[in-house]
Amino acid sequence: MRVLVAAATKHGSTMEIAERIAARLGRAGHATVALEAGKVMSLDEFDAVVLGSAVYGGRWLEDARQLVGTSTSKLRARPVWLFSSGPVVTGRPVPASDLVDVDAMLEQSGARGHRVFGGRIQLELLGFIERSMMRALRVESGDYRDWDEVEAWADEIAEALSRVDAAGAKSVAA
């Protein structure tokens, strides 16, 4: 299958997750393209989409929200998965719905699932307000991404795509 893995990113960390997902899907035999969400011109050439965004203030970045908003019917016509990157929570488990508001994106896109991954925090790259919020939450600079978790999720998507592809091949052969 031809799979677009797109991400809205502010400092590059979320795009690195998208690239890792695309590479993993590619190793599973899918033709993948990783693009920044704002550079996606069309979904027509893709059979499936994985779309993610960095999370700031509990919300996705505008490029990802806009891609979902302008491509609703095309997204709903193919398998779609969403991911969020960036919320950093230390010390206790928190439901994904408490970290990021993606309910509208899930509904609009018809996504099969949503996953939240930790992000990378580089305090020196943040603006004054963001840096102040991180310090108030006692979040230190660091890479909070769990690459094993990212790759395991990509493997789940690859398996689901293989089932979709096999079902499509069977219906064409019938």
Side-chain angles (χ1 to χ4, degrees):
M1 295 194 94
R2 297 165 300 166
V3 183
L4 169 65
V5 183
T9 189
K10 194 168 182 181
H11 299 293
S13 175
T14 305
M15 193 63 211
E16 290 173 357
I17 293 172
E19 290 166 347
R20 183 73 68 105
I21 292 167
R24 195 71 172 200
L25 294 174
R27 282 195 290 278
H30 301 287
T32 61
V33 174
L35 290 173
E36 288 188 23
K39 295 181 180 177
V40 174
M41 296 295 120
S42 172
L43 300 180
D44 292 341
E45 66 187 89
F46 301 103
D47 302 308
V49 176
V50 179
L51 175 61
S53 179
V55 175
Y56 286 87
R59 294 190 58 181
W60 271 20
L61 296 176
E62 181 61 28
D63 284 347
R65 290 195 319 264
Q66 187 172 16
L67 181 59
V68 171
T70 60
S71 305
T72 298
S73 62
K74 290 184 180 197
L75 289 168
R76 293 185 75 76
R78 51 190 43 81
V80 174
W81 288 265
L82 305 179
F83 73 92
S84 299
S85 167
V88 176
V89 178
T90 56
R92 62 181 174 83
V94 176
S97 60
D98 289 355
L99 298 172
V100 58
D101 181 13
V102 295
D103 291 342
M105 262 81 61
L106 285 164
E107 185 176 328
Q108 285 179 290
S109 68
R112 294 173 177 221
H114 171 248
R115 189 66 61 94
V116 178
F117 300 113
R120 181 181 64 213
I121 302 295
Q122 292 175 280
L123 292 174
E124 67 277 5
L125 296 180
L126 301 179
F128 176 75
I129 294 173
E130 293 169 322
R131 207 171 35 249
S132 297
M133 287 177 14
M134 292 296 110
R135 288 193 175 124
L137 294 170
R138 293 192 170 104
V139 174
E140 297 180 17
S141 286
D143 193 340
Y144 297 92
R145 297 172 294 182
D146 182 335
W147 293 114
D148 291 337
E149 181 183 9
V150 170
E151 290 181 348
W153 189 61
D155 291 343
E156 290 174 22
I157 293 171
E159 184 178 318
L161 289 173
S162 294
R163 287 192 305 270
V164 168
D165 202 22
K170 287 178 189 172
S171 66
V172 169

